[in-house]
Amino acid sequence: MRIWVNGGLRDAGDARLSVLDHGLTVGDGIFETVRTTGGRPFALTRHLDRLTRSARGLGLPDPDLDEIRRAVTAVVDANPVPLGRLRITYTGGLSPLGSDRGTAGPSLVVALDGVSRRPDTTAVITVPWTRNERGALTGLKTTSYAENVVALARARERGASEALFPNTAGRLCEGTGSNVFVVLDGRIHTPPVASGCLAGITRALAVEWTGAEESDLPMEVLAEADEIFLTSTLRDIQAVHRVDDRELAPEPGPVTAKAMRIFDERAGNDLDP
Ligand code: PLP
């Protein structure tokens, strides 16, 4: 694997950042995960816009988007895979121990690995821990993902691939790495960004392309919804066949299946929607 680190491509074994990088010591960093198909990134412009928004939210200098685009091309060319997970990481850089950011400037890492296509349906659990809809980091895609790692481990223990969080008001929010949609009486709903969820790029496209409504939803909606699905860069739209102990249909329901078809068609026709 060849990885872009601070200005050039390196073999994975030689790709190095300082052990005092602020991203490592205090989680002061942001990232994007971009899907590549046949070496072509999907929705890169939207991902770079969100990266810039996250940088501004954290007070990091604006990332150099031309350099990132060059890095993405170099990494994609150096690591040919049919379906790829491209990860752009941008951190506070080399810093003295302590919580202040150093003056060395940010670090940029771009890496890519191959992934398999996700199954059409999956199982999810709910967790009792909350997303904070009013935090300094709310809505930013930071590298501080340890809480998601813990929740995902809990999901795996229960044979599920995702864990859904409420926010501090007990309303449905999002998964560790996905947004959530429910179907009620034939209409599609998803929690608003004000719930504290990440403004997912797949979520935005699904709302735009299916006419889904943004609705404040109680957690209990998961026990009543006719259909449930997740969206994320690597899942696209993925139906849920089990939530905690509740079994739903083993195949995507009619509304979800239609949303999947619309998404596949629109995303296939426009790589940078
Ligand atoms: N919510 C969280 C916390 C995420 O980390 C992600 C993606 O990684 C998403 C939602 C889905 O966002 P996207 O569709 O942009 O991948």
Side-chain angles (χ1 to χ4, degrees):
M1 186 198 280
R2 302 266 292 159
I3 299 177
W4 182 280
V5 186
N6 287 338
L9 274 182
R10 305 269 179 277
D11 286 331
D14 298 325
R16 300 216 160 82
L17 287 184
S18 168
V19 292
L20 296 184
D21 192 285
H22 223 212
L24 174 66
T25 54
V26 300
D28 175 27
I30 56 175
F31 76 104
E32 285 296 321
T33 301
V34 182
R35 172 165 58 76
T36 66
T37 314
R40 287 164 309 168
F42 178 67
L44 186 58
T45 303
R46 285 184 189 247
H47 282 286
L48 295 183
D49 285 351
R50 187 170 64 189
L51 190 76
T52 302
R53 285 202 306 279
S54 296
R56 290 180 183 167
L58 234 63
L60 285 166
D62 277 7
D64 178 343
L65 301 188
D66 290 335
E67 183 196 356
I68 296 182
R69 283 185 183 274
R70 277 199 308 281
V72 166
T73 304
V75 168
V76 162
D77 288 349
N79 301 279
V81 288
L83 185 63
R85 166 176 38 207
L86 180 87
R87 159 100 181 200
I88 304 168
T89 309
Y90 185 70
T91 74
L94 171 61
S95 301
L97 287 176
S99 55
D100 288 347
R101 197 175 282 151
T103 53
S107 304
L108 172 68
V109 178
V110 181
L112 174 79
D113 63 0
V115 291
S116 12
R117 192 181 146 77
R118 54 99 185 97
D120 278 352
T121 73
T122 195
V124 305
I125 64 163
T126 55
V127 286
W129 310 305
T130 54
R131 280 284 197 255
N132 179 2
E133 64 276 28
R134 288 188 302 275
L137 304 182
T138 302
L140 308 181
K141 196 160 166 64
T142 75
T143 55
S144 308
Y145 257 48
E147 190 160 48
N148 291 322
V149 172
V150 171
L152 196 56
R154 170 79 62 101
R156 301 268 191 238
E157 281 164 17
R158 300 199 191 155
S161 78
E162 183 56 304
L164 299 178
F165 289 84
N167 65 13
T168 64
R171 316 299 286 182
L172 182 61
C173 187
E174 67 175 346
T176 66
S178 63
N179 293 105
V180 57
F181 288 67
V182 297
V183 178
L184 299 166
D185 296 328
R187 299 188 74 92
I188 310 176
H189 301 263
T190 192
V193 169
S195 71
C197 67
L198 184 75
I201 287 164
T202 324
R203 171 190 179 281
L205 294 172
V207 166
E208 221 173 291
W209 292 345
T210 70
E213 294 168 42
E214 299 183 291
S215 312
D216 181 36
L217 300 162
M219 283 304 276
E220 294 73 34
V221 77
L222 297 173
E224 296 148 18
D226 303 317
E227 300 173 34
I228 302 172
F229 64 84
L230 305 177
T231 61
S232 81
T233 290
L234 294 176
R235 295 175 193 265
D236 290 338
I237 292 180
Q238 186 180 38
V240 170
H241 66 74
R242 172 161 53 89
V243 52
D244 292 325
D245 295 329
R246 178 183 177 212
E247 297 286 346
L248 288 93
E251 302 296 331
V255 177
T256 306
K258 185 172 172 200
M260 290 165 104
R261 277 197 305 276
I262 293 172
F263 191 91
D264 282 352
E265 193 187 317
R266 298 285 297 257
N269 285 338
D270 185 358
L271 283 178
D272 213 5

